Amino acid sequence: NAGVTQTPKFRVLKTGQSMTLLCAQDMNHEYMYWYRQDPGMGLRLIHYSVGEGTTAKGEVPDGYNVSRLKKQNFLLGLESAAPSQTSVYFCASSSGTLAGGYEQYFGPGTRLTVT
Amino acid sequence: GQQLNQSPQSMFIQEGEDVSMNCTSSSIFNTWLWYKQDPGEGPVLLIALYKAGELTSNGRLTAQFGITRKDSFLNISASIPSDVGIYFCAGPFLMLAGGTSYGKLTFGQGTILTVHP
């Protein structure tokens, strides 16, 4: 039982390049989330999904797109990377049920640098 | 929107000391979560609280759900070097979509704990 996994762990992009971050969970969770973490800013929600085939915007969605084609996977895309997107990205999942459903479980993170 | 105020922002303590941190909100929460983030890792859930007044322990960690439902406290007893990290509180605010309720988490800004051997 791996929990939440993220690939890649590190990536360096040039401004304007695109990339996709992959998140996978094996806990059969309905809900999945993408956060970014910057020094002094805490964790900020980018996009989230409440089930396969659904996505919604979080606090800071601009410049990112997401897809949830399979229940276990949640992809975060950067179409044209900007230096302001240099950050550490975390994926999380939760069951969404009333009993303990708010507990989110996080992946190990992807450290992205845009030059 | 809902905000969580976490204090202190940072703490520098000697190994063996007890630690206390808290989280307050202007809104009522039905759940309080405490996470720890080790350097270079993702946040890990330490304790979940579901009832006002609840006191829950996890080893040397004890967390309490405030009676007003607007605050929570985390205590670490007899700190050790591996307690170093960032501690976050979090609480959900309910949203309704298509008749289904679900919660997005609001996070505090974190308390950075440094333990000197």
Side-chain angles (χ1 to χ4, degrees):
Chain A
N1 194 342
V4 180
T5 57
Q6 292 182 234
T7 52
K9 291 188 77 86
F10 303 94
R11 185 71 186 267
V12 179
L13 287 179
K14 293 189 189 306
T15 298
Q17 287 185 321
S18 64
M19 77 163 294
T20 301
L21 281 67
L22 172 64
C23 176
Q25 52 94 6
D26 61 3
M27 296 175 282
N28 200 35
H29 282 170
E30 286 295 331
Y31 301 164
M32 296 186 75
Y33 314 82
W34 275 107
Y35 293 90
R36 61 178 287 174
Q37 186 177 38
D38 303 293
M41 302 292 288
L43 287 157
R44 292 185 293 170
L45 183 64
I46 304 172
H47 286 281
Y48 63 100
S49 167
V50 300
E52 183 179 312
T54 73
T55 62
K57 293 180 181 180
E59 301 170 63
V60 288
D62 294 342
Y64 305 96
N65 55 74
V66 287
S67 65
R68 183 106 180 264
L69 298 179
K70 291 184 179 181
K71 185 177 182 178
Q72 62 268 35
N73 296 336
F74 195 28
L75 278 62
L76 178 71
L78 285 74
E79 289 188 348
S80 179
S84 61
Q85 294 178 304
T86 293
S87 187
V88 182
Y89 292 86
F90 290 101
C91 176
S93 70
S94 66
S95 67
T97 60
L98 288 177
Y102 303 125
E103 298 170 14
Q104 291 185 17
Y105 296 88
F106 286 81
T110 294
R111 190 172 295 273
L112 175 66
T113 302
V114 183
T115 60
Chain B
Q2 295 177 322
Q3 289 188 347
L4 296 182
N5 298 308
Q6 202 171 336
S7 66
Q9 288 189 322
S10 61
M11 302 180 76
F12 298 84
I13 62 170
Q14 290 293 129
E15 183 177 358
E17 288 183 5
D18 296 342
V19 172
S20 201
M21 59 190 80
N22 70 79
C23 201
T24 59
S25 169
S26 56
S27 305
I28 289 174
F29 281 97
N30 291 319
T31 299
W32 284 96
L33 306 174
W34 284 94
Y35 287 85
K36 182 196 177 197
Q37 186 176 22
D38 288 329
E41 302 291 331
V44 173
L45 182 65
L46 296 174
I47 292 177
L49 301 161
Y50 292 98
K51 195 174 171 183
E54 181 182 355
L55 191 71
T56 298
S57 293
N58 178 3
R60 292 177 297 104
L61 277 63
T62 302
Q64 183 161 23
F65 194 141
I67 247 344
T68 65
R69 293 162 63 191
K70 292 185 176 182
D71 55 9
S72 181
F73 307 87
L74 177 70
N75 296 313
I76 306 172
S77 62
S79 59
I80 59 178
S82 63
D83 289 334
V84 164
I86 307 176
Y87 291 80
F88 292 99
C89 60
F93 57 95
L94 292 177
M95 299 175 58
L96 290 173
T100 302
S101 65
Y102 59 96
K104 290 195 299 180
L105 288 181
T106 297
F107 287 87
Q109 292 302 303
T111 293
I112 301 171
L113 180 63
T114 303
V115 180
H116 295 289

